[in-house]
Amino acid sequence: MHRISNRSKWLSVLIILFMVGVIFLGVTLTQNSKRWATLKLNNHLYVNGEFVSAGTIYDRQGKVLAETKNGKRMYSSDPTTRKSTLHAVGDSKGFIATGAHTAFKPQLIGYDYINGIYKLKKDGGEHDLTLTIDAALSNEALKALGKNKGTVGIINYKTGEILCMVSTPTFDPENPPYDLNLDETGKYEGIYINRFLSGVFTPGSTFKTVTTASVLENIQDIDDRSFDCRGRYTLHKGSYVNCNAVHGNVDFQRAFSRSCNTAYAGLAVELGNEQLTKTAEELYFNKRIYVNGIPVAKSKFDLSNAYPIDRAWAGIGQYTTLANPCHLCLIMSAIANNGTAVAPTIIKDSRAPKLQNLKMLDANVASTLDMMLRTNVIEFYKDRRLPDLLMAGKTGTAEVANDKPHSLFVGYSKRQDLPLAIVVVLQNEGVSGYASAVPVANQVLQFALSNKIS
């Protein structure tokens, strides 16, 4: 009896260990099976390290952006489209981490926990994917960017759909340049980075929109103020911020429209570190934003060790401030949409999980900013430079240490049939955003307007 009792105890222990092992295996399988199934060791999906078997990727108009034919991954038949949508679609080797080939791989291979990739067809997959990207609009953005490094991003601020996120430099994935990975000239610097989602840049005067929001939240008598600009804001002991011109006596709206560094440096000093940081973080600086699970690079605003002169520079978009283009576009979307940015998406599928909208501003503050941005275009940039678009926006010319300035424009159309927010970043372009980024924005948005793309 004693021996039988001992055997029963050991059997119970073994059963318990077996059950623990089964549970551990189940948890491990659940957590890792998707990753295991998509490893490059899987010969059903990869040949010589290249992703070859997957569903078809379409643009919003149903144009093929990538598909599998005869065991090989093929891209659009149009070489311009292959270049303009490269960073949205991704390369077959997975170097572009934010591209659909990498970010949405489980969907493209038809993976599920029950069947794995069993349903994957020989020449493609059951699970095709339609992106919100418009190939024709992307082609026009690539054309407008020319030889510049940078990005053009466009979001429908009513739906959150990303219609365009062209990043340069780029290349033709079916005919990559021979020296792509041997670059010693800097020509291909950051070529695998989607600058719209993963880039960060000094924002320059585009950040004055954030400073303006903080002023509206914290300085009650701002509409009664005037600022005397003599071409420089001087703090003390030789600390100063140069202005872009001598503006003379200006009110708040004119200081914004003329992008007066004198006025905005002083306002930033008056606001203080805490209030300016609070507004910046309400507008999602220092916070993570996602696009269908793809992490967007954080915009950074840090005054933790800032002296007043540092804050003066920060208030005009300099100091250590860095902004992500997608984030800047979402700020414009929020202003255009009563203070709330509709959650950004790149998947055009009603079955996709509903995403959380981004509440950034009080509706009254958003309304005032909307008026100021529109007045800025009317009185300073002039509607004739952006004809028929009813644009609201702000330019930036961002100083960069040891290099030429970035040129930027952020804005949106107030037309009911063109609810589009846009960001243009021309990296180290060297001239003002007014002179270089505004024409790029106009060219792309005129194309959207004439082709009814929204």
Side-chain angles (χ1 to χ4, degrees):
M1 284 295 291
H2 183 67
R3 184 178 298 173
I4 293 174
S5 176
N6 285 338
R7 287 177 179 173
S8 298
K9 289 178 182 178
W10 279 111
L11 184 60
S12 298
V13 170
L14 288 173
I15 292 172
I16 292 170
L17 290 174
F18 175 77
M19 293 303 298
V20 169
V22 169
I23 293 170
F24 177 78
L25 180 62
V27 171
T28 302
L29 185 63
T30 301
Q31 292 178 339
N32 297 291
S33 58
K34 186 184 297 185
R35 181 174 61 85
W36 291 339
T38 57
L39 288 174
K40 289 189 176 182
L41 296 173
N42 190 336
N43 292 329
H44 295 287
L45 303 179
Y46 293 90
V47 173
N48 297 323
E50 291 199 16
F51 190 41
V52 295
S53 298
T56 301
I57 301 174
Y58 299 96
D59 87 331
R60 65 188 296 107
Q61 308 295 347
K63 296 177 182 176
V64 173
L65 301 180
E67 62 183 334
T68 296
K69 283 187 175 181
N70 301 318
K72 185 178 180 181
R73 200 65 177 160
M74 306 293 291
Y75 292 80
S76 168
S77 59
D78 175 32
T80 302
T81 299
R82 295 199 294 265
K83 293 177 183 177
S84 71
T85 62
L86 171 68
H87 293 89
V89 174
D91 62 309
S92 58
K93 292 187 176 180
F95 292 145
I96 301 172
T98 56
H101 276 146
T102 298
F104 309 127
K105 189 180 295 182
Q107 181 172 341
L108 286 168
I109 65 174
Y111 175 86
D112 64 59
Y113 288 117
I114 304 300
N115 299 291
I117 61 170
Y118 178 75
K119 293 181 180 180
L120 189 65
K121 297 177 182 177
K122 182 179 180 181
D123 288 327
E126 290 186 340
H127 295 259
D128 297 337
L129 182 66
T130 299
L131 302 181
T132 59
I133 295 294
D134 188 282
L137 186 63
S138 299
N139 290 350
E140 190 67 22
L142 182 64
K143 178 181 175 182
L145 280 167
K147 295 181 179 180
N148 289 293
K149 291 181 180 179
T151 186
V152 174
I154 297 177
I155 297 176
N156 182 311
Y157 57 77
K158 293 297 184 183
T159 66
E161 293 180 339
I162 299 173
L163 275 63
C164 171
M165 57 175 189
V166 175
S167 182
T168 54
T170 185
F171 66 93
D172 183 341
E174 289 197 358
N175 298 288
Y178 75 93
D179 58 344
L180 180 60
N181 297 313
L182 302 171
D183 183 29
E184 296 179 357
T185 65
K187 179 171 61 172
Y188 303 126
E189 178 267 329
I191 200 165
Y192 295 119
I193 295 172
N194 182 338
R195 282 165 163 77
F196 179 69
L197 294 179
S198 302
V200 288
F201 301 87
T202 303
S205 290
T206 60
F207 187 83
K208 285 174 182 163
T209 304
V210 178
T211 306
T212 299
S214 192
V215 169
L216 293 172
E217 290 174 347
N218 296 291
I219 300 178
Q220 300 302 315
D221 65 342
I222 192 60
D223 290 330
D224 300 323
R225 298 264 195 108
S226 63
F227 308 89
D228 187 24
C229 173
R230 300 300 174 188
R232 174 181 290 187
Y233 171 78
T234 302
L235 192 58
H236 59 78
K237 296 180 181 179
S239 298
Y240 62 88
V241 174
N242 279 329
C243 198
N244 55 335
V246 177
H247 296 114
N249 193 267
V250 293
D251 60 14
F252 187 42
Q253 173 65 64
R254 197 166 181 82
F256 182 70
S257 295
R258 293 295 182 266
S259 203
C260 180
N261 288 349
T262 300
Y264 271 82
L267 286 168
V269 170
E270 181 179 347
L271 284 167
N273 290 351
E274 185 176 339
Q275 288 181 327
L276 193 52
T277 298
K278 180 175 180 290
T279 301
E281 292 186 343
E282 287 172 351
L283 286 162
Y284 276 72
F285 277 81
N286 303 327
K287 295 180 181 179
R288 182 70 73 190
I289 295 168
Y290 292 88
V291 175
N292 301 114
I294 301 172
V296 175
K298 281 185 183 180
S299 294
K300 298 177 182 178
F301 187 76
D302 183 9
L303 296 179
S304 57
N305 297 309
Y307 292 102
I309 189 61
D310 301 323
R311 187 164 64 253
W313 282 105
I316 63 170
Q318 296 289 156
Y319 189 47
T320 60
T321 306
L322 294 171
N324 167 263
C326 178
H327 176 214
L328 288 177
C329 202
L330 287 170
I331 291 175
M332 291 296 108
S333 296
I335 296 169
N337 210 41
N338 300 314
T340 299
V342 178
T345 180
I346 196 174
I347 299 177
K348 194 170 182 63
D349 189 340
S350 59
R351 296 169 299 173
K354 186 171 177 59
L355 305 172
Q356 185 174 359
N357 294 337
L358 310 178
K359 176 66 176 175
M360 293 186 173
L361 290 164
D362 174 80
N364 291 328
V365 173
S367 177
T368 302
L369 279 170
D370 173 59
M371 177 198 68
M372 293 181 73
L373 287 163
R374 176 67 184 132
T375 301
N376 184 37
V377 172
I378 295 171
E379 293 189 352
F380 186 51
Y381 305 152
K382 306 299 183 184
D383 276 332
R384 65 175 176 269
R385 299 195 74 219
L386 298 151
D388 302 318
L389 295 176
L390 292 180
M391 285 298 291
K394 185 77 185 75
T395 59
T397 308
E399 296 179 11
V400 181
N402 304 317
D403 213 332
K404 293 186 292 185
H406 302 321
S407 303
L408 304 94
F409 176 74
V410 293
Y412 53 91
S413 170
K414 291 175 64 64
R415 289 182 61 125
Q416 292 298 310
D417 60 344
L418 198 73
L420 303 181
I422 188 169
V423 59
V424 176
V425 179
L426 306 180
Q427 186 176 340
N428 306 123
E429 205 276 344
V431 299
S432 71
Y434 172 81
S436 57
V438 169
V440 171
N442 179 59
Q443 179 177 335
V444 181
L445 289 175
Q446 292 294 345
F447 184 88
L449 178 62
S450 56
N451 289 277
K452 297 182 168 70
I453 300 171
S454 62

Short mmCIF file of all heavy atoms in Angstrom, two decimals, residues 37 111 132 370 434:
data_model
loop_
_atom_site.label_atom_id
_atom_site.label_comp_id
_atom_site.label_asym_id
_atom_site.label_seq_id
_atom_site.Cartn_x
_atom_site.Cartn_y
_atom_site.Cartn_z
N ALA A 37 6.29 32.20 -37.67
CA ALA A 37 5.77 31.90 -39.01
C ALA A 37 6.34 32.83 -40.07
O ALA A 37 6.42 32.48 -41.25
CB ALA A 37 4.25 31.98 -39.02
N TYR A 111 -2.02 34.70 -42.25
CA TYR A 111 -1.72 33.94 -41.03
C TYR A 111 -2.88 34.00 -40.04
O TYR A 111 -3.52 35.04 -39.86
CB TYR A 111 -0.47 34.50 -40.36
CG TYR A 111 -0.18 33.83 -39.03
CD1 TYR A 111 0.56 32.66 -38.98
CD2 TYR A 111 -0.68 34.36 -37.84
CE1 TYR A 111 0.80 32.03 -37.77
CE2 TYR A 111 -0.45 33.73 -36.63
CZ TYR A 111 0.29 32.57 -36.60
OH TYR A 111 0.52 31.95 -35.41
N THR A 132 -4.71 53.26 -47.97
CA THR A 132 -5.37 54.55 -48.20
C THR A 132 -4.56 55.43 -49.14
O THR A 132 -5.04 56.48 -49.60
CB THR A 132 -5.57 55.29 -46.87
OG1 THR A 132 -4.28 55.50 -46.26
CG2 THR A 132 -6.45 54.49 -45.93
N ASP A 370 -7.46 78.36 -36.16
CA ASP A 370 -7.96 78.20 -37.52
C ASP A 370 -8.06 79.57 -38.21
O ASP A 370 -7.61 79.75 -39.35
CB ASP A 370 -9.32 77.51 -37.48
CG ASP A 370 -10.00 77.45 -38.84
OD1 ASP A 370 -9.42 76.88 -39.77
OD2 ASP A 370 -11.11 78.00 -38.96
N TYR A 434 8.59 79.66 -47.15
CA TYR A 434 7.71 80.47 -48.00
C TYR A 434 8.12 80.34 -49.47
O TYR A 434 7.27 80.20 -50.35
CB TYR A 434 7.78 81.93 -47.55
CG TYR A 434 7.07 82.90 -48.46
CD1 TYR A 434 5.69 83.07 -48.37
CD2 TYR A 434 7.77 83.66 -49.38
CE1 TYR A 434 5.03 83.97 -49.20
CE2 TYR A 434 7.12 84.57 -50.21
CZ TYR A 434 5.75 84.72 -50.11
OH TYR A 434 5.10 85.60 -50.93
#
